């Protein structure tokens, strides 16, 4: 079991240790960060977040049993007029926790926050088309593919395509009732 806690300056070192290559950095953050991660970038990232009026919430993922930080996830681009937001920077950082359903738990926790606490209507995300494990995780959590953005990012000498996916409030509530 996991819980989400606000990401802060004390968590910078852990996150930097998980993001180990330029390609992985792009896969995790898109164009948001330059590799290698530095405290200055992360300080800008957390400025003005995690408050009732902010449009971004950034979380570290805690394994409840051990109390250890094992991952990272963000809910951003919160639009309170249209009741929508975007999940991003999803990372099961500790390799020993990968392949154990932690990603799905993380997504469900951030959706609980989005739909039950913030009372949003729609949550979306983007995922590179080759990341089959993440796509399966998001689909298991109730996300549906909306469209493929072909050759969306240039990484080195190749282009990467992104699936746009979303889940609506009624789909979330229906799925929650089945669990």
């Amino acid at each position: 079991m996991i819980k989400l806690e606000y990401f802060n300056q004390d968590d910078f070192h852990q996150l930097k240790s998980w993001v180990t290559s330029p390609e992985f950095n792009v896969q995790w953050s898109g164009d948001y960060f330059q590799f290698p991660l530095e405290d200055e970038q992360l300080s800008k990232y957390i400025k003005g977040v995690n408050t009732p009026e902010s449009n971004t919430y950034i979380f570290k993922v805690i394994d409840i049993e051990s109390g250890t930080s094992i991952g990272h996830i963000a809910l951003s681009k919160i639009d309170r007029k249209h009741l929508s937001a975007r999940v991003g920077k999803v990372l099961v950082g500790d390799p020993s926790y990968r392949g154990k359903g932690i990603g799905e738990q993380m997504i469900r926790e951030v959706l609980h926050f989005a739909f039950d606490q913030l009372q949003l209507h729609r949550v979306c995300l983007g995922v590179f088309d080759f990341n089959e494990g993440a796509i399966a995780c998001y689909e298991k959590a109730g996300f549906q593919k909306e469209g493929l953005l072909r050759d969306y990012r240039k990484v080195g000498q190749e282009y990467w395509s992104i699936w746009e996916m979303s889940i609506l409030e009624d789909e979330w509530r229906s799925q929650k009732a089945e669990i």
Side-chain angles (χ1 to χ4, degrees):
M1 295 291 294
I2 61 143
K3 65 179 178 177
L4 302 181
E5 292 182 359
Y6 292 146
F7 179 81
N8 61 55
Q9 191 169 359
D10 295 338
D11 304 307
F12 289 3
H13 179 72
Q14 181 68 71
L15 181 59
K16 290 188 303 185
S17 75
W18 290 333
V19 180
T20 57
S21 72
E23 295 78 17
F24 188 78
N25 182 64
V26 171
Q27 189 173 345
W28 170 68
S29 77
D31 290 336
Y32 195 88
F33 293 113
Q34 297 297 311
F35 183 82
L37 289 179
E38 295 179 359
D39 287 356
E40 183 178 330
Q41 293 180 78
L42 294 171
S43 292
K44 288 179 186 176
Y45 175 53
I46 65 170
K47 186 175 183 179
V49 304
N50 300 339
T51 66
E53 58 279 345
S54 70
N55 67 356
T56 301
Y57 289 87
I58 303 170
F59 302 99
K60 59 184 169 185
V61 181
I62 305 295
D63 173 38
I64 293 174
E65 188 176 313
S66 69
T68 305
S69 177
I70 61 170
H72 184 91
I73 193 167
L75 185 69
S76 64
K77 299 185 180 180
I78 298 169
D79 181 334
R80 287 179 169 74
K81 178 181 178 185
H82 300 289
L83 303 177
S84 64
R86 186 168 186 84
V87 173
K89 298 175 188 63
V90 179
L91 173 63
V92 178
D94 184 326
S96 68
Y97 284 86
R98 293 180 189 154
K100 297 182 178 180
I102 298 298
E104 184 183 350
Q105 289 179 47
M106 291 166 54
I107 295 298
R108 289 189 189 283
E109 286 296 317
V110 85
L111 291 175
H112 166 69
F113 182 78
F115 291 126
D116 297 337
Q117 291 186 261
L118 298 180
Q119 300 295 305
L120 299 179
H121 174 71
R122 179 180 190 278
V123 175
C124 65
L125 58 77
V127 58
F128 289 109
D129 65 341
F130 58 80
N131 194 343
E132 295 174 6
I135 293 167
C137 169
Y138 302 146
E139 288 177 332
K140 197 170 183 184
F143 280 82
Q144 296 181 27
K145 289 179 179 173
E146 293 184 327
L148 182 67
L149 303 176
R150 299 177 309 141
D151 289 355
Y152 189 75
R153 290 269 191 272
K154 186 174 184 190
V155 180
Q157 296 304 310
E158 60 185 22
Y159 289 92
W160 293 359
S161 298
I162 291 179
W163 279 109
E164 277 295 316
M165 303 178 76
S166 71
I167 183 170
L168 303 178
E169 176 186 14
D170 62 330
E171 295 164 343
W172 165 252
R173 302 224 181 277
S174 173
Q175 184 184 53
K176 242 176 65 169
E178 294 173 6
I179 296 175

